[in-house]
């Protein structure tokens, strides 16, 4: 009987770790897609609505799971950025293309970038790679706000580079969460 409870506990721990990894990867993927949308390369924003929605659902689900495991900072980050992704989906789905480059939308992204930077500066037990990922998210969101205000297309390539770096850091943070590497 004790062996079965040990195996069940190990299976639940493995499921929790994979949920965390999925949430972190979804965060990086959503930021990368949001960066692609505002580059000269990303012309079909409507095609990215479903992947953005799936990334948002995964982030929110992983954030709620993190709350159950009392990882509060990780929970707040994943749920908050999942909701940010949902708000970006609603902006993309709107029929008014002029509203997506409004100063209000840029200010909105500026505040989210500042929020990500402040959270990245907080001390927690999430690990250095998670905080580095949040710093990259902050830089990408601040750059996206700048691209929307200036509307200079060569700056979009720098935004794309920031999105790729953010996704690479999400991969790194996800790999660092795997129990195989922690043993």
């Amino acid at each position: 009987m004790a062996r079965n409870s040990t195996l069940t506990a190990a299976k639940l721990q493995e499921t929790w770790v994979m949920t965390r990894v999925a949430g972190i990867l979804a965060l990086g993927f959503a930021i990368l897609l949001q960066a692609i949308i505002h580059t000269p390369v990303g012309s079909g924003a409507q095609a990215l609505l479903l992947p953005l929605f799936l990334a948002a659902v995964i982030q929110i689900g992983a954030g709620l799971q993190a709350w159950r495991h009392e990882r509060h900072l990780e929970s707040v980050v994943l749920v908050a950025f999942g909701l940010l992704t949902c708000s970006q989906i609603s902006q993309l789905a709107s029929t008014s293309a002029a509203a997506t480059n409004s100063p209000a939308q840029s200010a909105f992204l500026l505040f989210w970038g500042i929020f990500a930077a402040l959270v990245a500066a907080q001390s927690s037990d999430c690990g250095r790679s998670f905080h580095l990922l949040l710093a990259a998210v902050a830089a990408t969101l601040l750059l996206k706000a700048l691209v929307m205000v200036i509307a200079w297309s060569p700056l979009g390539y720098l935004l794309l580079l920031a999105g790729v770096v953010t996704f690479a850091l999400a991969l790194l943070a996800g790999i660092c969460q795997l129990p195989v590497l922690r043993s």
Side-chain angles (χ1 to χ4, degrees):
M1 186 69 165
R3 179 174 164 83
N4 286 340
S5 64
T6 304
L7 289 175
T8 303
K11 186 69 172 171
L12 288 174
Q13 180 65 21
E14 181 181 312
T15 303
W16 157 235
V17 168
M18 294 312 289
T19 304
R20 288 175 70 191
V21 170
I24 289 169
L25 290 176
L27 173 62
F29 186 63
I31 295 296
L32 174 63
L33 290 179
Q34 291 178 36
I36 288 173
I37 290 169
H38 290 284
T39 61
V41 178
S43 59
Q46 299 297 326
L48 299 177
L49 290 178
L50 183 61
L52 277 171
F53 177 73
L54 292 174
V57 168
I58 291 170
Q59 287 176 68
I60 292 170
L64 294 175
Q65 187 74 0
W67 186 265
R68 285 187 48 207
H69 289 275
E70 297 181 5
R71 299 194 51 100
H72 302 295
L73 180 68
E74 192 173 319
S75 173
V76 167
V77 166
L78 290 174
V79 170
F81 284 104
L83 295 174
L84 169 69
T85 304
C86 288
S87 73
Q88 296 301 300
I89 291 169
S90 69
Q91 283 291 330
L92 289 173
S94 71
T95 56
S96 143
T100 59
N101 286 334
S102 70
Q105 178 68 13
S106 299
F108 177 73
L109 290 171
L110 176 72
F111 287 127
W112 272 97
I114 292 170
F115 169 72
L118 290 174
V119 172
Q122 295 294 318
S123 62
S124 73
D125 61 344
C126 292
R128 183 176 289 166
S129 60
F130 187 74
H131 288 280
L132 190 59
L133 170 63
L134 288 177
V137 167
T140 305
L141 290 175
L142 292 171
L143 189 58
K144 183 178 174 184
L146 184 66
V147 166
M148 291 178 76
V149 167
I150 295 175
W152 185 43
S153 60
L155 197 56
Y157 293 110
L158 185 60
L159 176 62
L160 181 62
L161 178 65
V164 168
V165 167
T166 301
F167 185 66
L169 287 172
L171 287 173
L172 175 70
I175 288 171
C176 288
Q177 297 297 319
L178 294 176
V180 175
L181 298 175
R182 290 184 149 193
S183 310

